[in-house]
Amino acid sequence: MALISCKNASFDYDGNTVVSELNFEVDTGDYLCVVGENGSGKSTLVKGLLHLKNPQSGEIIYGEGLKSTEIGYLPQQTAAQKDFPASAYEVVISGLLGSKDFSPFFSKADKAAAKSNMELLKVTDLAKKCYRELSGGQQQRVLLARALCATEKLLLLDEPVAGLDPIATNDLYAAVEQINKQGVTVIMVSHDVKTAVEYANKILHLNNEQAYFGNTAGYVESEVGKVFLGTAPQANAALGGAGNV
């Protein structure tokens, strides 16, 4: 059984359908990128995958014993979150709170898990530093270590490189790729379609409906993929008119 199955799912706000008729599956070990223009339904789907929003119709099914509390979620950061007054270590270990059953204490195993994930994301040297004093790339690595503390199965990343410089962006993509190769399933929402096809093995393209779902090679050759990647004849013609700048 798939880790996540989406069957004829549609979502609405105030009775107006935002995204409709979604049908796709995510298997253990997949690296799925969800792409599409702003307003295409990506953020709404994220809420559905987290069971924060129920489908208007259809359903999203978790398989292989996956629970919503076992999804490591890395949301887009707000200004308030970037200014959070805690140490990097405190932010990372807080990812384990969902599994604590309201206990305020962390066990030796919890602390070991936090340390291991910080080592994996190469932020151990930042443990005692205040989170809000870190660079954007460092903050994202800390948040990714936090998300890993919450799961051994599935990471859900919402535009994780937004606002990062090119070096920090490449570092974060490399870290996510390494995590995926270690067996953690990844679902990444991204506007960066060219990088998506470089790393992901599956693509879901939304346009207020399901424009494409399948393997990456198929997406590259699809009509919608060619348009978004700039390889369609009409896209090349439009780009050609702009000249070299």
Side-chain angles (χ1 to χ4, degrees), residues 50-159:
L50 291 169
H51 281 190
L52 298 177
K53 184 172 182 61
N54 294 323
Q56 175 187 19
S57 59
E59 59 185 342
I60 294 179
I61 303 170
Y62 292 157
E64 300 187 17
L66 179 67
K67 301 176 182 177
S68 59
T69 55
E70 295 176 321
I71 297 177
Y73 177 44
L74 178 55
Q76 296 186 49
Q77 281 204 86
T78 64
Q81 288 169 328
K82 291 181 180 179
D83 199 39
F84 193 64
S87 72
Y89 173 77
E90 289 170 333
V91 171
V92 171
I93 202 167
S94 70
L96 289 156
L97 288 174
S99 62
K100 297 304 293 178
D101 295 327
F102 304 106
S103 171
F105 302 106
F106 293 106
S107 66
K108 289 184 178 180
D110 294 333
K111 295 174 182 178
K115 180 180 178 181
S116 175
N117 287 325
M118 293 188 78
E119 289 174 350
L120 177 63
L121 273 300
K122 300 178 181 178
V123 292
T124 304
D125 59 326
L126 305 176
K128 295 182 179 180
K129 291 189 176 182
C130 184
Y131 175 78
R132 63 186 176 188
E133 296 175 356
L134 304 180
S135 69
Q138 289 171 332
Q139 286 185 343
Q140 287 298 82
R141 280 181 166 271
V142 167
L143 290 179
L144 187 53
R146 179 186 185 275
L148 272 178
C149 283
T151 188
E152 295 180 352
K153 296 181 179 181
L154 174 64
L155 280 177
L156 178 55
L157 314 175
D158 191 358
E159 300 285 6

Side-chain angles (χ1 to χ4, degrees), residues 33-60:
C33 270
V34 183
V35 301
E37 296 180 354
N38 291 337
S40 61
K42 300 190 301 295
S43 295
T44 302
L45 175 59
V46 167
K47 293 178 180 178
L49 293 173
L50 291 169
H51 281 190
L52 298 177
K53 184 172 182 61
N54 294 323
Q56 175 187 19
S57 59
E59 59 185 342
I60 294 179

